[in-house]
Amino acid sequence: MKTTLLTLVLAMTLTAQAGDKAPASSDRDEVVAIVNRFFAAISSRDVEGYRQVVVPGSQVTVAPVPERKAAMRRRVVEDDYKWLDESHEPLLERPTSMTVHVEGRIAVVWAPYEFHRSGALTHTGVDVYTLLKTDDGWRISGLAYSVVPAAPAK
């Protein structure tokens, strides 16, 4: 009887705890959606769309490949608004895959990408996003990315 009662109490406790948490796949799907909205905002030069998916003041770090001997550069997301608004050449940045990790209110996305200007592949690299689940939902709170120049067309 004691074993049956203990098993019943344990089962009820685990069921209650599981019901308190949102399914991880839902959070994962929301994180992927935010990163895809970020890619779309860049490609469509949508400053307002970009603004909606980032935490104000978030840092962006560019890490060029060592062979280029270029220094890492840092900026805040607000610096990108002017560039997006003023640039007129067609842009396309798209992920080739995504690896997503979510733990509570923190998520990380590793996304290899391709970047095209005026229809030509200019570089590839990896975007690494840090996201936080805010009162308004998931938002990008930091981005670091590598830049690997495309091989010249032959």
Side-chain angles (χ1 to χ4, degrees):
M1 174 75 174
K2 286 183 183 179
T3 305
T4 305
L5 185 57
L6 181 59
T7 304
L8 181 60
V9 169
L10 181 59
M12 289 171 55
T13 303
L14 292 174
T15 302
Q17 288 175 349
D20 290 343
K21 289 180 125 181
S25 62
S26 173
D27 281 332
R28 184 193 184 286
D29 293 346
E30 291 174 28
V31 165
V32 169
I34 289 294
V35 172
N36 282 331
R37 284 176 56 194
F38 182 84
F39 279 112
I42 290 173
S43 295
S44 64
R45 299 184 197 299
D46 180 1
V47 174
E48 188 54 36
Y50 188 108
R51 194 178 271 128
Q52 290 173 1
V53 298
V54 298
V55 173
S58 295
Q59 190 157 33
V60 178
T61 304
V62 184
V65 292
E67 302 83 60
R68 294 192 67 198
K69 299 190 184 329
M72 274 194 248
R73 297 181 316 273
R74 290 179 184 83
R75 63 185 187 270
V76 292
V77 292
E78 288 80 4
D79 293 342
D80 289 346
Y81 301 161
K82 183 177 181 184
W83 169 79
L84 281 173
D85 196 40
E86 291 179 354
S87 180
H88 296 289
E89 62 188 328
L91 302 177
L92 174 61
E93 182 174 7
R94 64 178 170 219
T96 57
S97 66
M98 283 189 205
T99 302
V100 179
H101 296 281
V102 178
E103 176 58 43
R105 294 178 61 187
I106 299 172
V108 177
V109 176
W110 174 278
Y113 72 92
E114 300 176 335
F115 194 91
H116 302 255
R117 285 180 189 269
S118 300
L121 176 68
T122 60
H123 65 276
T124 61
V126 173
D127 286 345
V128 179
Y129 299 88
T130 303
L131 295 92
L132 298 174
K133 191 169 192 178
T134 69
D135 291 342
D136 297 322
W138 287 99
R139 298 292 179 264
I140 296 167
S141 63
L143 165 63
Y145 65 94
S146 62
V147 177
V148 180
K154 294 181 180 187

